[in-house]
Amino acid sequence: MKWLTPFWPKRMASQMIALVIAGFVLSQIIVLIAITLDRRESLREFESARLLDRLAVTVRIIENAPPSLGRQLTAATSSNFLTFWVTRTPVLQEGIMDSDRDWHDVDERIRSLKQRIGQNRDIRFGDKDRLLRSARLPREIRSGKDDDDDDDRKRFREGDRFRPDLVLSIGLRDGRWLNAGLNHRQHVGRIGFPILLSFLITGSVLALVVILAVRRVTRPLEHLSGAADRMGRGETVSPIAEAGPADLRETIRAFNQMQDRLHRMMTDRTRMLAALGHDLRTPITSLKLQTEFIEDDDLRDRMQRQLNDMHQMAESALNFARDASDGEAARQTDITALVESLIDDMEGINTAVSFVGETRITTRCRPVALGRAIRNLIQNAVNYGGQAIVDVSDAGDHIEITIDDNGPGIPEADLARVFDAFERLDDARNKDSGGTGLGLTIARTIARSHGGDVTLTNREAGGLRARITLPATNPS
């Protein structure tokens, strides 16, 4: 069934509708075939009985009329599914085959016909394959060439114009033969059209009902999917209205409860981080004042540097907690313009930052928080790599923001470790590097709250590349 994959709907609602409609169509086709076969057999019996009556009447008419009117009379009594014609010789082989006797109940029908027209009649019965090679065929199917009897018989057998299922030949009193060809298929086709029309109407009504029912089930799922996607981007999501079947309502209720618990957990964590940062300010300030009374200059300077680092860590924690709790709303943002604005602000301080992107790319994000993540990565590139080259690109299903530097890079074993909070590699621990070891942690946290991530890789040409990936979103 792999060949069906490209044509199979991708969304669940479309798949459910397609399955129900396909099942209905298949079942109706089976029912239609069964009804048609049964109706065809019933009509065969019914028309055979009618044929006996018409044969008896036609025999009397032909025998009592002048021979010159034979062709006009047979044409007048013929119909779309029954053709009469008169010949001087029989058109069927003598005798009745066992297969015809078993299939058509020939013996009973011949007895019934003889009761109407006389017991001494020569009656022959069979299908078109039992035609004699010398048989004269009705004008309706003749090719127009009187001497081309073989071709006419072939056309008669293959159903070029008239396709009889049964052929009867009855000997008349004057030595001629009355022949009749019966076609059940044409009559069955006309009877089957109303049934087919009713199936089409029923199928259309069922399709409409199925579409409405499936939409009732899948619409709450669409709301749930959208809410989960927005929550994955760090947005505040209102509780979803519980709708649909009972099991779907339970799923939505569980999602709302999960979202509420996650929100409380993140709020408590942020408050705790803010409290720790705030509470550390006072003892750090007190220790800095006490270090002024230390007479050893080297010891005093070393302790003050450590206290300054602690102060920066506390301030970073407070800033991060403040940004996380400000409730910034996500909106459609021009990422290229956001990066250009950050670089313009930083170029006034440091000329080692450049932007090489040209494509205008937009996505849904929290611009203030994302701007802080980008700024942290640019500042790291300048501090440890000497410069920062920033680019924005569209990768199809996601957006990439890359920051390259020309520094020494980071050992492969430490690429994951540098994202740990307060983690600083040994060669970065110097008085000029600045930083607290939270920049990369904060950048990754912000990116992941948007449904993306931050990764670091060493470039082949030298230096480090920081890459922010964000899911691409439609402006709608």
Side-chain angles (χ1 to χ4, degrees), residues 284-329:
I284 290 175
T285 302
S286 176
L287 289 173
K288 289 175 68 175
L289 291 174
Q290 294 180 29
T291 57
E292 297 294 335
F293 297 102
I294 299 177
E295 297 180 356
D296 189 331
D297 294 339
D298 292 338
L299 177 61
R300 183 177 62 251
D301 292 341
R302 187 167 60 255
M303 293 185 65
Q304 287 181 348
R305 285 198 301 271
Q306 293 176 349
L307 289 172
N308 286 333
D309 289 343
M310 293 176 64
H311 178 75
Q312 290 182 9
M313 292 179 184
E315 290 297 324
S316 297
L318 282 172
N319 291 334
F320 176 68
R322 189 180 302 113
D323 291 342
S325 61
D326 65 356
E328 181 188 6

Side-chain angles (χ1 to χ4, degrees), residues 326-344:
D326 65 356
E328 181 188 6
R331 62 177 183 271
Q332 202 70 22
T333 304
D334 187 332
I335 300 298
T336 306
L338 175 63
V339 173
E340 289 176 340
S341 175
L342 291 172
I343 292 176
D344 289 342

Side-chain angles (χ1 to χ4, degrees), residues 129-271:
D129 293 329
R130 298 189 61 225
L131 290 169
L132 293 170
R133 291 185 57 84
S134 60
R136 300 291 296 177
L137 305 178
R139 175 174 294 181
E140 286 78 1
I141 58 91
R142 291 187 64 84
S143 63
K145 299 179 181 179
D146 293 339
D147 58 345
D148 196 4
D149 289 336
D150 288 339
D151 184 60
D152 286 340
R153 277 187 292 274
K154 179 179 180 182
R155 289 154 57 87
F156 189 79
R157 290 189 177 96
E158 295 179 354
D160 183 52
R161 293 179 62 184
F162 183 71
R163 297 169 293 176
D165 296 317
L166 304 175
V167 179
L168 284 85
S169 288
I170 304 173
L172 302 178
R173 285 196 297 265
D174 58 4
R176 294 179 298 164
W177 289 79
L178 176 65
N179 307 288
L182 176 64
N183 181 5
H184 295 294
R185 296 185 183 92
Q186 293 183 2
H187 197 56
V188 170
R190 291 196 300 273
I191 293 177
F193 176 76
I195 298 177
L196 180 61
L197 180 61
S198 69
F199 284 163
L200 291 177
I201 295 174
T202 304
S204 301
V205 174
L206 176 64
L208 179 61
V209 173
V210 168
I211 291 174
L212 294 177
V214 169
R215 290 298 300 164
R216 180 180 179 273
V217 174
T218 57
R219 187 176 289 110
L221 282 177
E222 293 176 358
H223 295 164
L224 178 61
S225 174
D229 180 68
R230 293 193 301 275
M231 188 179 72
R233 298 174 186 273
E235 300 181 31
T236 301
V237 181
S238 301
I240 307 173
E242 299 178 11
D247 50 354
L248 183 55
R249 291 199 300 269
E250 292 176 1
T251 302
I252 295 175
R253 187 181 306 116
F255 175 83
N256 289 335
Q257 294 173 351
M258 177 194 69
Q259 179 186 217
D260 181 62
R261 286 193 293 266
L262 285 175
H263 179 71
R264 290 201 307 267
M265 182 185 70
M266 295 298 295
T267 300
D268 293 342
R269 191 193 70 169
T270 302
R271 288 176 178 173

Side-chain angles (χ1 to χ4, degrees), residues 259-454:
Q259 179 186 217
D260 181 62
R261 286 193 293 266
L262 285 175
H263 179 71
R264 290 201 307 267
M265 182 185 70
M266 295 298 295
T267 300
D268 293 342
R269 191 193 70 169
T270 302
R271 288 176 178 173
M272 181 183 67
L273 184 60
L276 288 174
H278 182 271
D279 291 345
L280 285 174
R281 277 179 167 179
T282 300
I284 290 175
T285 302
S286 176
L287 289 173
K288 289 175 68 175
L289 291 174
Q290 294 180 29
T291 57
E292 297 294 335
F293 297 102
I294 299 177
E295 297 180 356
D296 189 331
D297 294 339
D298 292 338
L299 177 61
R300 183 177 62 251
D301 292 341
R302 187 167 60 255
M303 293 185 65
Q304 287 181 348
R305 285 198 301 271
Q306 293 176 349
L307 289 172
N308 286 333
D309 289 343
M310 293 176 64
H311 178 75
Q312 290 182 9
M313 292 179 184
E315 290 297 324
S316 297
L318 282 172
N319 291 334
F320 176 68
R322 189 180 302 113
D323 291 342
S325 61
D326 65 356
E328 181 188 6
R331 62 177 183 271
Q332 202 70 22
T333 304
D334 187 332
I335 300 298
T336 306
L338 175 63
V339 173
E340 289 176 340
S341 175
L342 291 172
I343 292 176
D344 289 342
D345 294 341
M346 299 183 72
E347 282 181 344
I349 303 174
N350 195 320
T351 58
V353 182
S354 60
F355 180 60
V356 297
E358 298 180 355
T359 306
R360 313 305 297 186
I361 300 174
T362 61
T363 190
R364 187 174 178 82
C365 68
R366 302 189 306 281
V368 174
L370 182 61
R372 183 179 184 192
I374 297 172
R375 188 184 299 108
N376 285 355
L377 295 176
I378 293 176
Q379 194 63 53
N380 271 8
V382 172
N383 289 343
Y384 305 119
Q387 68 172 353
I389 304 172
V390 187
D391 188 16
V392 178
S393 60
D394 186 351
D397 60 343
H398 65 278
I399 296 170
E400 290 188 356
I401 305 171
T402 57
I403 300 97
D404 296 341
D405 64 45
N406 292 325
I410 296 177
E412 295 292 332
D414 295 327
L415 287 175
R417 186 165 62 90
V418 293
F419 287 103
D420 295 341
F422 305 111
E423 183 67 38
R424 301 173 65 190
L425 302 184
D426 292 338
D427 55 1
R429 294 175 184 172
N430 58 73
K431 63 181 180 179
D432 297 323
S433 67
T436 61
L438 282 176
L440 291 176
T441 305
I442 293 172
R444 171 174 275 187
T445 300
I446 293 174
R448 287 181 171 177
S449 71
H450 283 78
D453 203 356
V454 175

